[in-house]
Structure formats: C-alpha cells, structure tokens
Amino acid sequence: MKFEALKSEVDVWLNNYFSNKGTYNKKIYEAMKYSIDIGGKRVRPMLHCLTYEMFNENYREVIAVACAIEMIHTYSLIHDDLPCMDDDDLRRGHPTNHKIFGEALAVLAGDGLLNEAMSLMFDYCKDRGKNELLACKIISDSAGAEGMIGGQVVDILSEGKKISYETLSYMHRKKTGELIKASILSGAIIGRASDREIDKLSDFGSKLGLAFQIKDDILDVVGNEEVMGKPVNSDIDNNKTNFISTFGLEDCKNKCRELTKECMNILDDVDRDTLNLKELTKTLLYREK
Amino acid sequence: MKFEALKSEVDVWLNNYFSNKGTYNKKIYEAMKYSIDIGGKRVRPMLHCLTYEMFNENYREVIAVACAIEMIHTYSLIHDDLPCMDDDDLRRGHPTNHKIFGEALAVLAGDGLLNEAMSLMFDYCKDRGKNELLACKIISDSAGAEGMIGGQVVDILSEGKKISYETLSYMHRKKTGELIKASILSGAIIGRASDREIDKLSDFGSKLGLAFQIKDDILDVVGNEEVMGKPVNSDIDNNKTNFISTFGLEDCKNKCRELTKECMNILDDVDRDTLNLKELTKTLLYREK
C-alpha cells in the first residue's frame, strides 16, 4: 500500500540522517533518535509529501522538509511528556524520553530536534527560491509561541480548570492543528500551487487538524491501553478539559464524521488528483489507534 | 560611548519586538520577554553588528539577525537554569525564569525563544540572497546538537566527574564558543567579506569564545556575588570541572591575557577598520563582571 511505502521512506530517511550524526558527542543524538524511532504514524511528513505530489510528481524533492516537520513534532512530544508538563511515562507503548535518558537530556534532546529541523530547512532553502523560504517560515511559525507552543501553554495553564469552548478550541487549533495545517500548506507552496488551491488546502488543513484532535480525544476514551500504547483516559487523569468532557462522546463522534465529510468536499473542489490525500484523511479519521 | 548606544539599540529592538507579540496568549510572551529583559551585556548581537559594520556601514540592516542570536542565547540560559540542569535560582541578579513562571512555562519560554529566533531568520532571508541563508544556517548549526546543545550535554554528563582537558575544552568550545564565533562569522558573511577575511575572523571568533569562557570561570572565583548577580563559585558548588579547577587561577589569567593578545594580532591582520571589534574584545576580556 502506498502509505506504508511512503512511511517507510520517511523512516529510512530519518534513520540514515541520525546514523550519520554525532561525531564526538553521541549521547544527545542517541536520545534524539530514540524518540524519532519509537514514533508514530508519520502523519505530518506524509501529508506534506502527498500534498506536494499533487503538483509535482517527485515527492522525494521535499522529503527533507517532511522529516524536519517530523522532528518538530517529536520534540514537542518529548517536552510535553516531561514531569513538569504532562508527566507521562509511556509514549507509543515505550518509556518516554526522560524515563530512559533523564530529564536534563530529554529537555536537550527536544531542543536538539527543534534546532536540527531548522538547520535542515535552512540547508534546504540554500539553493532554492522564495517559495521554499515562505514554506519553511510557515512551518517555523506554526511551531512557535503563536502556534504549537502557544497551544501547549494554554493546555498547561488550563489544567484543573473549567475552560470555555473558545479556549479549548484555541488550544487544539494551536497545539495540534497548526503544524498539521502547515505540513499541508508548505507542501502546496513548494509545489507552486495557485492562490486558490492554497486557500482551499489551508481550509482543508484546519478542518483536518481539528478532526484529528477530536478523534484523538475519542480514542483517549474508547481506545484500550494496549492498542493506544499510552494510558487511556490520561487527559481525565490529568484533570484536563477536552472535547469529550465538553460535548460528550456522541456529539464528538458526529462532529468528527461531519468534519471528515467537509474535508472530502473541499478536496473535491480542488482540480488536482486528490485521491491520496482523501485516502489518508479517511485512514486518519477512521483509525482505531 | 558607542557600545552603550549599540546595546541600547538592541534593547529597544527587542523590547519593541516583544511588545507587539501575543494576541490571544500573552503569558508565553511575558515569560520570554522576562528573560530577554533581565539580560545582559548583549555581547553576541554587538559582535554581529560590529563585524558586519566593518564591511557595510549600516549595521541596522542586520539588527534582526543580531537579536535572533540574542534570543537563542537567552533560551539556552533559561533551559540551563532549570532544576533538572544547573538548578539556579538567580541569573543576573534576578530570579531565574522558572522561579517566576514555574518549570513548565520556563521550558516553553525557552522553546519559544529558539523558535522565534528561527522564524525571524527565515523572514530575514526571504528577500535576500545566498549569503544570508548561509549565515543563518551557521547560526542555527552553532546552537544545535553539534554546537551549544552538544556542549551542554557534555557539561551535564560530566557533573561530579573528573574530566580530561580535551573534554573540558570541547565542552566550552561548543557551549559558549560556537555561538560567539557564529555571531562574528555570520556578520562577516552577510557583509560579503572575502574568504581570507572570513578565515581570519573565524579564527578570531574561536579564540575570543575560549577567552570569554576562561574569563567567566575566573570571575566565578574572584568576583563577588553582588557584582556578578549570581552565586559566586556556583561551578564549585555544582561539583563541576572548569578551567580554574583544572589549571589554577594564575595559569588561567595568563592564558586569558595571551588569548587577548592573539585576538588583537589577528584583527591587525585584517585590512579593515577593526577598532570597534578590538575595543569590544578588550571590554569583554578585561571586564570585572
């Protein structure tokens, strides 16, 4: 299946990248690589590559950017899991980074991955044009204090409090949505999409990001620990407001279905071969883990 | 005095930058701005601007890059001070970031500053050329796992251990030296210095970075707490190997003097107006805090 092959390519690229790193100081790369290796679905790099591929056949052109996005995502997970944040012991069925390497190294491994991603993107832009720079700026912004970090701050500050729908929605749009949207948008921009296409795909990215988070909240309640690889109901344990605690399970399932349809409709309105993006969207939103 | 005026300009630029940030989520920018505001000598932005100015009069052209470097430096201080790292309560005479905002926000404020610096540099490169991208790549690399983060990892892993001169030297070259060198090198590259000039200034940067760290170790022993704004002998309290514990105070003072002279000789060999860089070097290496 195409997605498996693409995921493998991302895995191989990341594995090669980190295998060649760390001349004197291997420990930090070991910690960085650990969290990259135990990770995940590679949703963001796949979205980036598949969006780019709608405009330009050879997605290998952008695989470095795709992997930089995955590094940013992985850094955020390492820091989110820290004792001073969500204090999680398990991630994807494996001990979290600080459980293996200690807190200090986990902080530094996160820092290292964010930094590495940026270096990779500067390098990528060196022999390219304005579009590439704009795309990397969008990715960088989506990860920053007005993006993912901003969302995590609201999450931390809201712990144990009842928060409004506006705040909940802001938090998830920033914490999860922005980087997902940026993965799509940056792929389109590097692929030289038209303004109309960029608008459409931006809208698609926002809706997919929101649906992805709602789906995550649903699975946090109905999944079982073995399937999810992390303690189920961890949000409830952490006394956190999420979509389920605000709207209830049934409404969330409906909302997720509705958003999935809207995503499909937007893609129908883009005059390109959107089959792969559609398939991936379905895979993500109908997933069971 | 020129340096005071330049430092003020950097302060004003940073102040304006952060005053306009944080639309919905002000808390994270408050934490980021706090550590920027209590900071320091602005050594790195000044080195960047003064080096650039040797090749191109208007250093305001590069002030955004200079301030991005200061953000990277500040993020590293916030993370270094964390309880899981050096566990410092004071920085420049003020409570450290986590003492004011808590650990979670301090981690995120550091992340935010690193990320903001990168976004600023992508933005800066947008309408410029290859040299600017190369300069930003050098800055980004100098902060990363093969640079500053790598040095901090060795520092953490060496705590309480006797380490070799080779390790000590690697640690400081990476932890302090690389970003100082990158500040100079990037200024020269954006200013379109010749290859020979870049080589010379790279050598100057390495030596200045090393001398700066030795001076810091000297002041850590002979300074007094009021002047330094942080507990004196904190390295000894933390059971850390430094230049003083390895070579003794007198040898370190001699080494610092020797390196200062070498820095001057290198600058004499650059056919530009190096007066300001020389003055700043003396100010840094003869400083008492």
Side-chain angles (χ1 to χ4, degrees):
Chain A
M1 187 202 172
K2 181 175 171 100
F3 299 148
E4 274 310 308
L6 179 53
K7 181 181 175 301
S8 289
E9 266 195 74
V10 169
D11 286 340
V12 167
W13 196 98
L14 285 165
N15 191 52
N16 284 344
Y17 186 82
F18 284 103
S19 299
N20 296 324
K21 289 282 178 178
T23 44
Y24 184 100
N25 178 5
K26 295 218 171 289
K27 199 74 192 170
I28 180 69
Y29 282 102
E30 203 187 303
M32 287 156 74
K33 193 171 185 299
Y34 172 79
S35 289
I36 289 281
D37 282 351
I38 62 172
K41 296 180 285 290
R42 312 296 189 207
V43 173
R44 292 153 192 81
M46 285 211 276
L47 285 169
H48 182 78
C49 290
L50 293 177
T51 307
Y52 176 82
E53 211 193 15
M54 283 164 44
F55 304 95
N56 197 316
E57 249 175 56
N58 186 6
Y59 62 79
R60 284 182 193 92
E61 276 287 314
V62 293
I63 202 156
V65 181
C67 290
I69 297 172
E70 186 68 8
M71 289 181 199
I72 293 173
H73 172 59
T74 307
Y75 120 77
S76 77
L77 299 182
I78 297 176
H79 282 192
D80 283 6
D81 286 337
L82 286 170
C84 66
M85 305 264 198
D86 291 351
D87 194 14
D88 275 322
D89 294 348
L90 279 180
R91 165 74 64 186
R92 295 163 179 160
H94 298 268
T96 44
N97 198 290
H98 64 272
K99 283 280 153 191
I100 302 281
F101 297 96
E103 268 182 74
L105 244 74
V107 171
L108 292 166
D111 294 347
L113 282 168
L114 174 59
N115 206 122
E116 200 78 35
M118 300 300 180
S119 276
L120 246 175
M121 291 198 289
F122 281 119
D123 207 39
Y124 176 80
C125 288
K126 233 170 43 200
D127 299 312
R128 292 182 168 88
K130 263 193 173 186
N131 280 48
E132 283 74 8
L133 264 165
L134 176 62
C136 291
K137 170 82 164 61
I138 286 172
I139 294 166
S140 179
D141 284 349
S142 77
E146 294 277 13
M148 191 170 65
I149 294 171
Q152 177 67 3
V153 170
V154 174
D155 196 3
I156 293 290
L157 296 177
S158 307
E159 220 159 288
K161 287 180 199 159
K162 206 161 168 56
I163 57 173
S164 66
Y165 173 67
E166 195 204 354
T167 306
L168 176 70
S169 159
Y170 172 91
M171 178 179 103
H172 283 316
R173 200 172 64 243
K174 296 294 178 180
K175 196 176 158 172
T176 319
E178 288 282 293
L179 191 60
I180 287 182
K181 184 172 154 184
S183 306
I184 295 163
L185 217 47
S186 56
I189 290 170
I190 299 178
R192 284 17 182 199
S194 70
D195 287 350
R196 183 184 178 274
E197 287 163 335
I198 287 171
D199 281 350
K200 288 280 164 198
L201 288 166
S202 171
D203 195 17
F204 164 69
S206 303
K207 290 194 157 57
L208 178 65
L210 179 62
F212 187 76
Q213 183 59 51
I214 296 176
K215 183 75 191 180
D216 223 43
D217 284 357
I218 293 171
L219 290 173
D220 200 46
V221 174
V222 302
N224 68 62
E225 196 158 333
E226 201 187 334
V227 176
M228 288 290 286
K230 66 175 183 177
V232 174
N233 271 340
S234 59
D235 281 354
I236 292 173
D237 292 346
N238 283 340
N239 209 358
K240 282 188 174 179
T241 304
N242 64 22
F243 284 108
I244 311 290
S245 65
T246 309
F247 298 106
L249 188 58
E250 279 316 303
D251 272 9
C252 284
K253 284 183 176 172
N254 288 336
K255 181 76 185 161
C256 193
R257 257 178 244 122
E258 201 179 290
L259 283 165
T260 311
K261 260 185 227 154
E262 288 175 30
C263 284
M264 297 300 151
N265 290 342
I266 297 168
L267 291 179
D268 277 336
D269 202 23
V270 175
D271 200 16
R272 300 272 174 177
D273 181 359
T274 57
L275 203 66
N276 282 326
L277 264 193
K278 279 185 182 172
E279 276 304 308
L280 184 60
T281 301
K282 279 187 224 160
T283 308
L284 293 175
L285 301 182
Y286 297 147
R287 75 201 150 102
E288 277 175 32
K289 62 175 182 173
Chain B
M1 186 203 175
K2 179 173 172 104
F3 298 148
E4 273 310 308
L6 178 54
K7 181 181 174 304
S8 289
E9 267 193 74
V10 169
D11 286 338
V12 167
W13 197 98
L14 285 165
N15 191 52
N16 285 343
Y17 186 82
F18 284 103
S19 298
N20 297 324
K21 289 281 178 179
T23 44
Y24 184 99
N25 178 5
K26 295 216 171 291
K27 198 75 190 170
I28 180 70
Y29 281 104
E30 203 187 305
M32 287 155 75
K33 194 173 184 298
Y34 171 80
S35 289
I36 288 281
D37 282 350
I38 62 171
K41 296 181 284 291
R42 313 296 190 206
V43 173
R44 292 153 194 82
M46 285 210 276
L47 285 169
H48 182 78
C49 289
L50 293 176
T51 307
Y52 176 81
E53 211 192 14
M54 283 165 45
F55 305 93
N56 197 316
E57 250 176 53
N58 185 7
Y59 63 79
R60 285 183 192 93
E61 277 287 315
V62 292
I63 202 155
V65 181
C67 289
I69 297 172
E70 186 69 8
M71 289 180 199
I72 293 173
H73 172 58
T74 307
Y75 120 77
S76 77
L77 299 182
I78 297 175
H79 282 192
D80 283 6
D81 287 337
L82 286 169
C84 66
M85 304 265 199
D86 291 352
D87 194 13
D88 276 322
D89 294 348
L90 279 180
R91 166 73 65 185
R92 296 163 177 160
H94 298 268
T96 44
N97 199 290
H98 64 271
K99 282 280 152 190
I100 301 282
F101 297 96
E103 270 182 72
L105 243 74
V107 171
L108 293 166
D111 295 346
L113 282 168
L114 174 59
N115 207 121
E116 198 79 35
M118 300 299 180
S119 276
L120 246 175
M121 293 198 288
F122 281 118
D123 206 38
Y124 176 80
C125 288
K126 232 170 43 198
D127 298 314
R128 294 182 168 85
K130 262 192 174 188
N131 279 48
E132 283 74 10
L133 263 165
L134 176 61
C136 290
K137 170 81 163 63
I138 287 172
I139 294 166
S140 179
D141 283 349
S142 78
E146 293 277 13
M148 191 168 67
I149 294 171
Q152 176 67 5
V153 169
V154 174
D155 196 3
I156 293 289
L157 296 177
S158 307
E159 220 158 289
K161 287 181 199 158
K162 212 168 164 50
I163 57 173
S164 66
Y165 173 67
E166 195 204 353
T167 306
L168 177 69
S169 160
Y170 171 90
M171 177 178 102
H172 282 317
R173 199 171 68 242
K174 296 294 178 179
K175 194 177 157 170
T176 319
E178 289 282 293
L179 190 60
I180 287 182
K181 185 172 153 184
S183 306
I184 295 164
L185 217 48
S186 56
I189 290 170
I190 299 178
R192 279 29 180 190
S194 70
D195 287 350
R196 183 184 178 276
E197 287 163 336
I198 286 171
D199 281 351
K200 289 279 165 200
L201 288 166
S202 171
D203 195 18
F204 165 69
S206 302
K207 289 192 157 56
L208 178 66
L210 179 61
F212 188 76
Q213 184 58 51
I214 296 177
K215 183 74 190 180
D216 223 43
D217 284 358
I218 294 172
L219 290 173
D220 200 46
V221 173
V222 303
N224 69 64
E225 195 158 334
E226 199 188 334
V227 176
M228 288 289 287
K230 67 174 182 177
V232 174
N233 273 341
S234 59
D235 279 355
I236 292 173
D237 292 346
N238 283 341
N239 209 0
K240 282 191 175 181
T241 305
N242 64 22
F243 284 108
I244 310 291
S245 66
T246 308
F247 298 106
L249 187 58
E250 278 317 303
D251 273 9
C252 284
K253 283 183 177 173
N254 288 337
K255 182 72 184 165
C256 192
R257 258 181 240 119
E258 203 179 286
L259 283 165
T260 311
K261 260 187 226 152
E262 288 175 30
C263 284
M264 296 301 152
N265 291 343
I266 298 169
L267 291 178
D268 276 337
D269 203 23
V270 175
D271 201 18
R272 300 273 175 175
D273 181 359
T274 57
L275 204 67
N276 283 325
L277 263 195
K278 278 185 181 173
E279 277 303 309
L280 185 60
T281 301
K282 280 189 220 158
T283 308
L284 294 176
L285 301 182
Y286 297 148
R287 73 200 150 102
E288 279 176 31
K289 62 173 182 176

